[in-house]
Amino acid sequence: DNPPADTAAQKALAKDAVCTTCHNESWRVPILSLYQTKHGNRADPKAPNCQSCHGQSTGHQQDPAGVHPEVVFGVKSKNVSSAEDRNGTCLGCHKTGLRMHWSGSEHESRDVSCSNCHTVHIANDPVLSKATQPEVCYACHKTQRAQTHRISTHPILAGKMACSDCHNPHGSTGPKLLVKNSVNETCYTCHAEKRGPFLWEHSPVVDDCTNCHTPHGSTNAPLLKARVPWLCQECHSGDHGAAINSGANLLNGNATTINGMLPPANQSPRTQTNARACLNCHVLIHGSNHPAGAKFQR
Amino acid sequence: QAAESDDAARQLTQPTSVVEVGAGYVSQDSFKFGEYNGLFKQGLYGIFNFDVRGGGSYDSGDATRWRATGTDLGLDTRDVSAEYEQQGKFRVNFDYDELRRNRSDTYQTPYLGAGSDTLTLPSNWLKPIVPQVSGTAINFRALSPTTGLASAIVGGVVTRPTAAQQTTVNNIIAADLPDFNNVDLDTIRKTIKGGFSYSIDSRWEFKASAQHEKKEGLKPMGAVSSQVSEYATILVDPIDQTTDQYNASLTYTGENSFMQVAYYGSVFKNDISSLTWQDANDPTKTATLSSAPSNSFHQILLTGGYNFSPTTKLVVNGSYGRNTQNEAFVTNGQNNQFPLGLPASSLDGLVVTTAFNAKLTAKPIKDLSLVAGYKYDDRDNRTPVNTYFFQDANETKAASASAFNAALGLPANTLGSNIDIYANRPYSKKVNQFDVDADYAVAKGQRLQGGYEYQQIDRECNGSWINCADAPRTRESTLRAEWRANVVENLSGRVAYAYSERRVNYDENAFLSLVPMANVVPAGGATVSAYQYLLQTGLTGFGPVAGFPSSPLSGNAAIFSPSNNMLPQALYASRNNINEEVGMRRFNMADRNRNKVRGSVNWDASDNVSLQGSLDYNKDDYNNSIYGLKNAESLALNLEGNYSITSDFAAQAFYSHEDFQSQGAGISYGSNSNTAFVGQAGNTIVSGGCFSSVLDKNSNAKIDPCLNWSTDMRDKVDTLGAGFKYKNLMGGRLDVTGDLVYTYARTDVGVAGGSYANNPFALASPAPALAPGVPAVFFIPAANMPTATTKTIDLRLGGQYAIDRVSSVRVLYWYQHLRSNDYVYDGMQFGTLTNVIPTNEQPFNYNVHVIGVSYIYSWR
């Protein structure tokens, strides 16, 4: 028969006491706040005790100053255990769910450990909250931090979107640790209106959203890799896509005024160079379902 | 002391609940500052957040935990969530979230009915014309007196508008300008989520979740009202969409294995099927734009893992998904655009996605790790291919007949020469990828990693009459190496290099898949179809790379590449030339050599100071692209320093520099001709460019080297940041934080090349002929675009003071400055573009201060 839950909890706490007698409320870093977390729920028989993660550490019990625990997670500690050992401990329980593709993943193969990102002894692990998670990721991904400060971004700085909305840092079947099999499948989780399939597909769109867009931030709205019309001209060189677009085609530019000879009423700045450029007209650029929409104007 | 100790332990072990109530003030309206944060209106706003936790105590036998949180409840970015669990048994959770996204609060439109699917012009609307230029052509430069009442060339003479013409323009301005009204463009997403998980036993777990999202609001949308008058309208696009997403999974976790079967569903529904608007050129007509069609995606996923040994693991994953779309086609408001009707009433679209992944990891010896992976990802678009006959936007049938009436068995002149006869191209893409990596500890603290990856992508269109993919197959090989070291205590670093080569068989005639008539012999004397002509001659749709022929062409050449020009569009039933230039390579399917270098250093200089630096460099060479994107290069430098004196104080400073450059090229070719003058005989001189006479220039219009152009685009961004956190000041009562980020972004587009423009006075008789020696044509060199810049300063200060054990006060100050300078807005103003309706949108510039004070009550 299983013992009553209260008894089981007290037994678990008694096991913890091996550690918490010294690592108590007076310890220099908070240890006991683990009891606010899922790991510290002593009524859950699956929750670990201290030694489940830090090892039996009998040497440390006998000589606390001279011998460190068997598994040390603190990444700033001189005695920190290898990433493999730390991860092995966590994966002992957390082997499925989001971590199914951990083995051989980008982070695993570069010695990133669970405790590089997760802080398990405090009530609110920053990496598990939308508002605070990006700061954890920026510890390494600093270019992405800078990109979120650009004029065109996703709502990451506003705390409404987190890195993990698109990426699974534990490994995935998609490129760049994306949560789905492909870039497009990932983007469609929020932008399903662009999924189609459309009658008239735009081939780079169905190929990969990042052919034109950059997700973390851009100086060219909306999150474009380059400015229109030149972005479009990287692929389109026929018909009016062949024409040059330069500063001479802007208002009062030399091609607009023909070296100042054309009086203002006759001037006609080139539409494809100005305002929304190609998208003044070809607006359904992600695809059109209109029977006359092959040119993405309908 | 024991009581103190108990209290300290209680503080650590008992969850804290908090409620925060207060008020803030925003100093000015700014749609951009409040783009995502809800703080877009000047004035007071409420601060209301809570985080309440409950359930059994950690040392009790009660595994129940619950939590309810609310953030930003006083704003359009509010979020409320709740969860309840019997830990180890089951968990239920709920979340409600709002996200407002602002687009523009300076947009103006004359159209009435914003938010509906029908936009109308006010009854007093007058078609804008500049009568001294044209008495009939729509011309939005009429909307400004500066341009509308300006002088024009009349009969070769610069002439002020007549009194009657001035009256016409003044009447247009008086009628139309007041019709332009502000419409705020923003969207809001409201999302409800719910989830449930249940641990069946220690090995089996079931999870399910559902999410319903409603997105409503307004977006700007450009559209061509009419191909006849060739102008674009920037419309208010109404958004009223829902996306429902579902997840369910059953997971088995064994000692040495795991398995999961899962389902993902996503159902998108658009309550707006189309947008119809009145033609500003001819208000008796309307035009209609289709909206994103409702669609759905359902996917089954299977994942399994097995550990052959503690270090040898295999994980495989397979998925099968069906993406369907069968929204009724929009046919209203088309002004007889479909002379033969439609081949189907809806698409019956189906895309089947199949993916398979396998990854084997092993550690055959102590210091060596191996990873081998295989990836298969197939987007199989099974949408039926049909042929659609349509006239371009509101265009009427051309007087001349299509070359394909007889071939299609239609009565003569059923279709005009401007008909588009297009077949849809359902793109399929199949990825096969294999990679292997080895990681070896070469010495203590040093690891060397090497890897190879091969990726093959096959692209096609099921049912297309001819290959539709520019590159039916691409093959890419990547070699990579990385050295990671921690040889000196507190100093670690990494250097990585990867080289990729992508090679393709590029098909420059894949564009013909859009036009099935290219496989049909046209009327007019040709003996072969356009496609057969290209096959026989080895040409692309661009035709010969040659000037006007020295002797007249005959036979099929005179028909399919007259004057050595391109394939005439009417001979493959297209209203536009859809071929590309010879040597144009679409960059995502072009030959490419890619170099990637990564380097980083991390130095823990002391217990208090750590410094980090990293450099990323990428270089892509599209080595066989004559036109299109030719190369791209990016560099990112990051420096960061962290300083902490005690566990209470930490400071950080960082600098990021990113420089992205790309070069592209094209040729603004014309059509070869033997026309020797402009306007009238004698107007023959060309000033600048590659030819001195009009005849020579026109004879070489297709190959004129002066019409080659190139672009050099560059984005340079510097980001500088500093911040600090200081806790437990004033005897443990006060925590303060500060963060400052400065960003300066510059976008340059350098353009080399130029274009020809006729002397505006070189006109047909009765205009006077140009004086002897006066050029009839000028070559106008390209000019660089003005630099677009953005500067932002973001300063946030915060403090929290504990009044007593349960009460504290929080204050915040936030200053954000943005100054942007972007020429694209110039073309949106009144009196600028001839054929785009102005919106008067303004670039974003603001200085916003936000202050907030709130009271926080906490309990355990």
Side-chain angles (χ1 to χ4, degrees), chain A residues 6 25 36 38 84 103 124 142 145 151 153 160 173 195 197 207 227 237 247 268 271 283 295 298, chain B residues 5 12 32 53 61 77 85 87 222 295 325 361 363 375 459 576 580 612 640 783 822 834-835:
Chain A
D6 273 339
E25 64 281 359
Q36 294 186 44
K38 288 180 192 299
E84 195 179 349
S103 187
N124 295 312
K142 298 177 200 303
R145 169 177 59 193
I151 195 161
T153 62
K160 299 300 286 183
T173 56
R195 182 168 51 206
D207 185 55
R227 290 220 146 197
S237 66
S268 178
T271 307
V283 70
K295 295 157 194 174
R298 279 286 179 266
Chain B
S5 178
L12 284 170
K32 182 62 182 173
R53 300 169 186 225
T77 50
E85 69 179 328
Q87 193 177 311
N295 67 71
Q325 189 272 105
T361 52
K363 213 171 170 182
K375 182 179 175 65
R459 295 177 170 92
N576 299 89
E580 302 296 341
Q612 294 155 42
E640 184 170 313
D822 197 330
T834 315
N835 53 358

Side-chain angles (χ1 to χ4, degrees), chain B residues 212-234:
Chain B
H212 174 76
E213 179 185 274
K214 179 87 175 163
K215 183 177 175 186
E216 292 175 293
L218 307 172
K219 281 165 70 172
M221 180 83 124
V224 179
S225 290
S226 162
Q227 202 81 34
V228 187
S229 45
E230 287 218 306
Y231 76 93
T233 311
I234 311 301

Side-chain angles (χ1 to χ4, degrees), chain A residues 8 23 31-32 39 47 62 91 95 100 103 113 129-130 132 137 150 154 170 184 196 198:
Chain A
H23 298 281
I31 298 292
L32 301 187
H39 285 146
Q62 287 157 11
L91 292 167
K95 65 180 76 162
M100 290 189 299
S103 187
S113 79
S129 159
K130 242 176 205 176
T132 49
C137 303
R150 294 190 186 159
H154 274 118
H170 308 98
N184 288 32
F198 295 95

Side-chain angles (χ1 to χ4, degrees), chain B residues 115-166:
Chain B
S116 75
D117 63 3
T118 307
L119 301 173
T120 55
L121 288 161
S123 56
N124 70 338
W125 176 257
L126 293 177
K127 171 182 169 179
I129 57 167
V130 179
Q132 59 273 35
V133 177
S134 165
T136 54
I138 194 164
N139 187 335
F140 292 100
R141 284 168 75 89
L143 295 173
S144 159
T146 309
T147 48
L149 297 171
S151 297
I153 295 172
V154 180
V157 178
V158 176
T159 310
R160 288 182 54 76
T162 64
Q165 288 168 336
Q166 290 183 42

Side-chain angles (χ1 to χ4, degrees), chain A residues 200 295, chain B residues 387-388 404 419-425 464-466 509-520 530-531 567 569 571-576 578-579:
Chain A
W200 307 108
K295 295 157 194 174
Chain B
T387 303
Y388 294 80
F404 299 101
I419 190 76
D420 289 295
I421 306 178
Y422 281 10
N424 55 314
R425 292 178 289 187
S464 184
W465 75 271
I466 192 175
N509 282 326
F511 75 96
L512 292 171
S513 55
L514 182 65
V515 279
M517 292 301 111
N519 202 29
V520 176
Y531 176 54
L567 203 59
Q569 59 209 32
L571 298 187
Y572 54 87
S574 175
R575 175 67 177 81
N576 299 89
I578 54 173
N579 59 275

